[in-house]
């Protein structure tokens, strides 16, 4: 994007200083305001009117891309959430959620209250389109128009934000969940207005578990509480979805059943989800990766140390530790299961001290990884833990790692029955 060209065009049309206009544009673009809407805002500031560069195009939601410019859509409102953000130095309340027509779903951010609610059918004119977390999003601002339609648009999507925890994805807004607070910690952080007390922990329902943060540290959010939480948003935290309660979240008592089991899915389903906080998979260990067995960690940050060097702290006096990085395959995909010291000691059949003694006797630290590989490779395991997916691959931080108790013959018979063989 050539900001100089846009600034020069605006400055010439408005009769204003180019550098001042450019600073105004850059300030708006920093907050992901689409360029067309940013230019309209600058025009209004200098009294140049709010006209855009082109008339907005009427489109189906399924045809919207990040390059669509300004558009007009007729859609059903699926969800409406409220959140306070810091914008241009001021606290601003925005509305956000999802819209749908028969062709697809798109998220939106509305910079003022246009009065629509879930279930309403609206025609939104002159909405800007920006890219948000890799997907197009409608930006509904001062230059947009919103008209309530009398006839409801029929869409193949659920109206309203009620979801089970397992259904939540990073980027969801205006959601409602009913869950039990399984773990709770109160912390003081350095917030945007100074020191702030928050709650963080783990929520659970029949479908699974997710981490959460209550930015208001509500007194009713206590360990063991069963709650209905209306208007939460979901963002990614350490590779998994995390539920966030804001000042606009309404919390009330609820009756919630919590399963002790994690949802069992195929590895492909788990990896395709982009990250799951508590999940169980079943697969065969096909390899124990390098970096398993006896390792050395930095005493300051806990990172892996090689040749006495930490990437963050340079030359250090490392601490010994045990770890396993096992590649698990279930026929649909692979994932790297990472076992901490406790689980590694279980599969190794000895303690860290035992491993160090074995390494000294063999005059090689590799003997520990070799012994672990003999125990694991070629055998089927049930693994439960937290799955994260990033540019380096899929990793499952294991909380449980056990030999599979499933009967292979019974499973084979079930497959044959399923395929009709």
């Amino acid at each position: 994007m050539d900001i100089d060209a846009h600034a020069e065009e605006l400055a010439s049309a408005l009769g204003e200083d180019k550098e001042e206009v450019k600073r105004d544009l850059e300030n708006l673009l920093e907050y992901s305001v689409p360029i067309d809407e940013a230019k309209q805002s600058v025009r209004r500031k200098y009294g140049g009117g709010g006209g855009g560069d082109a008339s907005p195009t009427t489109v189906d939601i399924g045809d919207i891309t990040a390059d669509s410019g300004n558009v007009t859509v007729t859609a059903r409102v699926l969800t409406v959430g409220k959140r306070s953000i810091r914008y241009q130095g001021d606290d601003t309340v925005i509305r956000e959620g999802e819209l749908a027509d028969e062709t697809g779903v798109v998220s939106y951010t509305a910079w003022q209250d246009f009065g629509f609610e879930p279930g309403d059918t609206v025609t939104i004119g002159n909405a800007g389109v920006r890219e948000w977390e890799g997907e197009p999003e409608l930006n509904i601002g001062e230059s947009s128009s919103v008209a309530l339609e009398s006839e409801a648009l029929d869409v193949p999507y659920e109206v309203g934000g009620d979801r089970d925890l397992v259904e939540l994805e990073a980027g969801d807004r205006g959601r409602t969940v009913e869950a039990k607070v399984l773990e709770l910690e109160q912390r003081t952080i350095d917030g945007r207005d100074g020191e702030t007390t928050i709650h963080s922990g783990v929520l659970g329902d029949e479908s699974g578990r997710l981490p959460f943060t209550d930015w208001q540290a509500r007194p009713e959010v206590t360990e063991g509480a069963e709650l209905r939480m209306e208007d939460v948003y979901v963002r990614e935290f350490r590779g998994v979805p995390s539920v966030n309660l804001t000042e606009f979240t309404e919390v009330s008592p609820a009756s919630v059943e919590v399963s002790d089991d994690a949802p069992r899915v195929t590895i492909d389903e788990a990896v395709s989800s982009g990250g799951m906080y508590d999940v169980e998979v079943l697969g065969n260990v096909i390899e124990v990766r390098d970096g398993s067995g006896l390792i050395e960690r930095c005493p300051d940050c806990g990172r892996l140390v090689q040749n006495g060097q930490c990437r963050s702290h340079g030359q250090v006096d490392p601490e010994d530790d045990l770890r396993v990085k096992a590649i698990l395959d279930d026929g649909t995909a692979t994932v790297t299961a990472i076992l901490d010291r406790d689980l590694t000691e279980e599969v190794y059949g000895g303690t860290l001290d035992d491993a160090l003694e074995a390494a000294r006797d063999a005059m090689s630290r590799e003997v520990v990884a070799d012994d672990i590989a003999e125990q694991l490779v070629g055998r089927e395991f049930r693994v439960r833990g937290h799955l994260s997916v990033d540019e380096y691959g899929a990793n499952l931080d294991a909380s449980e790692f056990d030999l599979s108790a499933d009967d292979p013959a019974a499973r084979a018979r079930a497959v044959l029955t399923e395929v009709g063989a």
Side-chain angles (χ1 to χ4, degrees), residues 100-158:
D101 63 13
E102 61 274 13
T103 68
V105 177
V106 67
S107 62
Y108 71 87
T109 295
W111 292 84
Q112 63 189 63
D113 186 2
F114 288 94
F116 53 74
E117 299 292 339
D120 289 345
T121 296
V122 293
T123 295
I124 301 173
N126 198 34
V129 181
R130 67 174 179 174
E131 183 175 319
W132 179 252
E133 296 185 347
E135 298 293 334
E137 178 184 83
L138 294 187
N139 216 53
I140 311 171
E142 292 180 5
S143 60
S144 305
S145 62
V146 177
L148 187 65
E149 300 293 339
S150 58
E151 185 174 344
L153 185 67
D154 187 23
V155 298
Y157 305 100
E158 182 178 353

Side-chain angles (χ1 to χ4, degrees), residues 397-415:
D397 288 319
S399 58
E400 298 177 12
F401 187 86
D402 301 301
L403 272 171
S404 169
D406 286 11
D407 180 2
R411 197 186 314 158
R413 286 192 293 271
V415 172

